[in-house]
Amino acid sequence: MSEATSPRVSAQTLKQQAAAAAIELIEPLLAEGVVIGVGTGSTADCFIDQLAVLKNRFRGTVASSERSAQRLQAAGIAVLDLNDVTSMPVYVDGADEIDANLCMIKGGGGALTREKIVASVAQRFVCIADDSKLVQRLGAFPLPLEVIPMARQSVARRLQAYGGKPVLREGFVTDNGNCILDVSGLNIVSPAELESACNNIPGVVCCGLFALAPARIALLAGENGIQRLG
Ligand code: 5RP
């Protein structure tokens, strides 16, 4: 890579910086009895690693995937069942794309359903990412949908009617035992409308659009520091 095109800060460093900004944001919220919602992915992993330092200052976490639960437990952070938790001040997670309205595409790691469930219980969603995830219009990243296996063909046909090109994520089974269709070619003019439409297709467990309930705050790390949206 030539010097002109080589980034000054690595992608991993940017993820760690976004995670550090989230830690700074949530630290005043930590107290005995407080539960934090934790997302899934490489940026969420950075958040987990930094949260470990504060592990004795709050009750525990709810994880959005088996993968994150294992990382949290390995770091000595308590992982609670969502059924035992009534409220969380915050849910912290990454995104595959985010727009200026804080609508997101998520599910690149296949954890979208549990992510949406845990986020729905939290008072606010804090999205952490490097600033390459900020887009003018969602949809260059193929939209993941978690689908009941027996419905993958019928769901795929419905998505084709919306102009999408669904591709089965080969060899992948979600934590809930379902499959993922990754849908490219969608012209996402109205993310919330498309999310509602996908939610209404029988067999769709969860749509990777987070537009009906977008993030409240985005902390986007770039070469010039953290950009906060929301
Ligand atoms: C997992 C997700 C992740 O948040 C998304 O894929 C971003 O991951 P990363 O932080 O590794 O870029 O939605 O289902």
Side-chain angles (χ1 to χ4, degrees), residues 15 40-44 93-96 106-112 115 133:
K15 290 173 192 185
T40 298
S42 56
T43 319
D93 198 358
D96 298 301
K106 291 187 47 54
L112 60 161
E115 291 173 342
K133 305 288 184 75

Side-chain angles (χ1 to χ4, degrees), residues 135-151:
V135 296
Q136 292 223 327
R137 180 177 288 188
L138 300 174
F141 190 92
L143 176 64
L145 268 79
E146 179 163 351
V147 173
I148 300 283
M150 73 168 285

Side-chain angles (χ1 to χ4, degrees), residues 59-143:
R59 178 177 165 214
T61 56
V62 174
S64 63
S65 63
E66 299 297 337
R67 166 197 159 139
S68 287
Q70 281 172 15
R71 195 175 185 101
L72 285 158
Q73 281 161 339
I77 301 172
V79 178
L80 307 167
D81 187 323
L82 182 62
N83 292 307
D84 297 326
V85 173
T86 49
S87 70
M88 284 176 272
V90 68
Y91 173 77
V92 180
D93 198 358
D96 298 301
E97 286 183 347
I98 184 164
D99 70 14
N101 296 317
L102 305 193
C103 297
M104 297 168 285
I105 286 183
K106 291 187 47 54
L112 60 161
T113 301
R114 294 190 188 195
E115 291 173 342
K116 206 175 269 192
I117 292 169
V118 181
S120 76
V121 178
Q123 283 161 29
R124 59 189 92 94
F125 187 135
V126 175
C127 176
I128 52 173
D130 67 77
D131 64 2
S132 70
K133 305 288 184 75
L134 181 62
V135 296
Q136 292 223 327
R137 180 177 288 188
L138 300 174
F141 190 92
L143 176 64

